[in-house]
Amino acid sequence: MTMPAQQHRIVRVHATPLKAPVDFTWLGSSRKSSQSICLVEVETDTGLTGHGVTQHIDSSTIAAQINFAGSKLLGADPMCNERIWQMLFWSLSGGAQSQYASWTLAAIDTAIWDIKGKALGLPVWQLLGGARSRVQAYATIGIPGADIDELTTAAKRLVEKGFRCLKTQVGRPGVDHSKGQKPLIDIIRNDAKRIRALRDAVGDEIEIGMDAQCRLDLTHAVKLVELVQPYDVSFFEEPLIENDVLLMADMRRRCTMPIHAGQSEALASRFRDMLMHGSVDVLQPNVAVTGGFTQCAKIAGLASAFNVPINGGGYFWHIMHLQAGVAAGTTVEYQTAAANACEALFSNLPALDGDWITMPDRPGLGFDPRPEAIKEFTVK
Ligand SMILES: [Mg+2]
């Protein structure tokens, strides 16, 4: 006779806005930076604590919303992640999910999956399906304001560490006029110079990707693809404003460079539209942005039905669970700033072996925030 499963009830949800320090000396740059992280901890009456994160510049605002949402979860069963997700979705967004609702859901849902794993004694990647026990990483250089020398120095260090695919940002500030206006043609010509320098620095065997973070229009995104054509760029991530599904489909018809998109998206229906319109080569549901594992797993299922792979950006050690767990999973982004901040914040993070990571056996996410780091990095 099997024993009845233990009942768990949520007794506390608490979000903390953090600013974790980021140090780039290991990449040869003296620049210092910081990473805004909103950490949520969910506790049960059975003594389990799950944690999750989301990312936003204003972590204090998102923390306030998470604490409001958390008050609705007291007494809820954390094993029923779907029931919790639906309840929060409707109470936070009224059915048309805003980005704040998505960020709030992402942090809480990740913590719920951490609790599920700890309660069942299984890692999250196995709860999601356990499709593979190792995943490959690609590195995003990610040093804010890096000049060409810093960019190429950091790239060489990352290659020495074993990364075989590097991503760099392009198109900034692009159509984001809040940071000053600059002609797009000047921006992309400068981007092409940086990509050429990067190719010269790392040689022919290393893959290079570029990411415009939705900051270009169609004309200039296509022009940038032409300008970097001699330097063998492997993919273009979120090239166009608003991840416009029709414009991305048009761009794919004009260019052979693969398009990746979705890291900034909230709604599952946006991913459906990208698939239906043939807008992307790779979908990128982001656990820390796109509503946590509960929704990202659905998007991964959609991607599988279209035979389109997913890859992942954002917080490496969280997203690796999705990429390892589901059939459509492939590679995980190692964003150097976010990874550095996580190393300062969490204990028991599994280490990379070259550019591969072996998935941990530890239950839940397999790592935990250090209480003294939470205290030190809390935004006052
Ligand atoms: Mg991106």
Side-chain angles (χ1 to χ4, degrees):
M1 199 175 122
T2 52
M3 293 286 287
Q6 189 177 15
Q7 293 292 307
H8 307 266
R9 296 288 162 206
I10 293 172
V11 293
R12 184 170 178 265
V13 177
H14 184 69
T16 312
L18 305 174
K19 228 179 205 343
V22 173
D23 180 348
F24 293 109
T25 45
W26 67 288
L27 291 175
S29 169
S30 58
R31 288 176 200 264
K32 296 261 188 264
S33 181
S34 63
Q35 179 85 20
S36 280
I37 301 176
C38 184
L39 178 77
V40 63
E41 292 169 291
V42 177
E43 293 170 26
T44 70
D45 59 357
T46 47
L48 297 174
T49 302
H51 59 90
V53 292
T54 190
Q55 61 189 63
H56 189 258
I57 299 299
D58 183 2
S59 56
S60 298
T61 303
I62 197 74
Q65 177 158 325
I66 291 171
N67 286 327
F68 160 75
S71 66
K72 297 174 179 302
L73 296 186
L74 301 182
D77 181 350
M79 304 309 280
C80 300
N81 56 288
E82 189 66 77
R83 194 182 304 166
I84 289 171
W85 202 97
Q86 293 296 331
M87 195 268 280
L88 288 180
F89 175 78
W90 288 99
S91 66
L92 294 171
S93 72
Q97 190 177 12
S98 72
Q99 199 80 59
Y100 271 93
S102 173
W103 289 321
T104 297
L105 273 162
I108 292 176
D109 185 79
T110 301
I112 296 292
W113 278 84
D114 189 28
I115 288 177
K116 285 182 73 157
K118 286 168 175 166
L120 297 167
L122 290 170
V124 170
W125 65 274
Q126 285 187 348
L127 295 181
L128 288 165
R132 55 195 66 80
S133 55
R134 290 173 80 219
V135 282
Q136 196 173 12
Y138 69 91
T140 296
I141 298 168
I143 303 175
D147 60 25
I148 284 187
D149 280 349
E150 286 171 301
L151 188 72
T152 53
T153 301
K156 285 183 202 161
R157 297 233 178 146
L158 288 164
V159 170
E160 280 163 20
K161 287 199 172 292
F163 289 102
R164 282 165 286 175
C165 178
L166 306 178
K167 188 174 83 183
T168 188
Q169 288 178 349
V170 294
R172 299 191 89 158
V175 291
D176 177 2
H177 291 169
S178 68
K179 299 192 175 65
Q181 202 166 348
K182 220 176 148 189
L184 290 178
I185 189 69
D186 293 350
I187 293 169
I188 61 169
R189 282 194 181 125
N190 187 50
D191 288 333
K193 276 187 208 153
R194 290 164 68 88
I195 297 283
R196 183 179 64 195
L198 206 49
R199 174 55 72 209
D200 288 346
V202 298
D204 293 340
E205 302 293 311
I206 300 297
E207 280 193 87
I208 294 174
M210 53 187 193
D211 182 358
Q213 295 183 315
C214 309
R215 285 185 168 90
L216 289 174
D217 61 19
L218 179 61
T219 307
H220 291 89
V222 170
K223 181 72 182 166
L224 180 54
V225 170
E226 284 171 24
L227 291 174
V228 300
Q229 199 276 332
Y231 316 123
D232 188 23
V233 174
S234 297
F235 62 89
F236 200 164
E237 181 173 309
E238 299 198 319
L240 297 178
I241 183 165
E242 296 179 14
N243 277 331
D244 186 309
V245 291
L246 299 183
L247 290 184
M248 283 197 293
D250 194 358
M251 188 172 164
R252 273 186 87 219
R253 286 189 289 271
R254 297 193 199 189
C255 308
T256 53
M257 188 181 292
I259 293 178
H260 300 188
Q263 285 194 359
S264 314
E265 295 293 333
L267 291 164
S269 61
R270 292 274 299 154
F271 291 84
R272 173 206 62 198
D273 291 349
M274 286 185 227
L275 292 165
M276 290 293 289
H277 288 286
S279 309
V280 293
D281 295 276
V282 178
L283 273 188
Q284 300 182 296
N286 181 341
V287 171
V289 169
T290 318
F293 291 110
T294 298
Q295 176 156 272
C296 286
K298 291 174 192 166
I299 293 163
L302 263 179
S304 276
F306 281 77
N307 290 313
V308 168
I310 67 167
N311 70 20
Y315 288 96
F316 177 79
W317 286 279
H318 298 82
I319 291 173
M320 69 180 185
H321 284 277
L322 179 72
Q323 297 299 327
V326 301
T330 59
T331 54
V332 193
E333 177 186 24
Y334 186 90
Q335 210 281 357
T336 59
N340 197 244
C342 284
E343 281 164 346
L345 179 58
F346 296 107
S347 56
N348 292 319
L349 293 174
L352 280 152
D353 178 14
D355 59 348
W356 285 88
I357 189 142
T358 300
M359 295 305 296
D361 295 328
R362 292 164 60 90
L365 292 170
F367 55 90
D368 281 295
R370 296 185 301 111
E372 60 277 24
I374 296 177
K375 219 168 151 186
E376 188 184 341
F377 305 150
T378 295
V379 178
K380 304 287 188 308

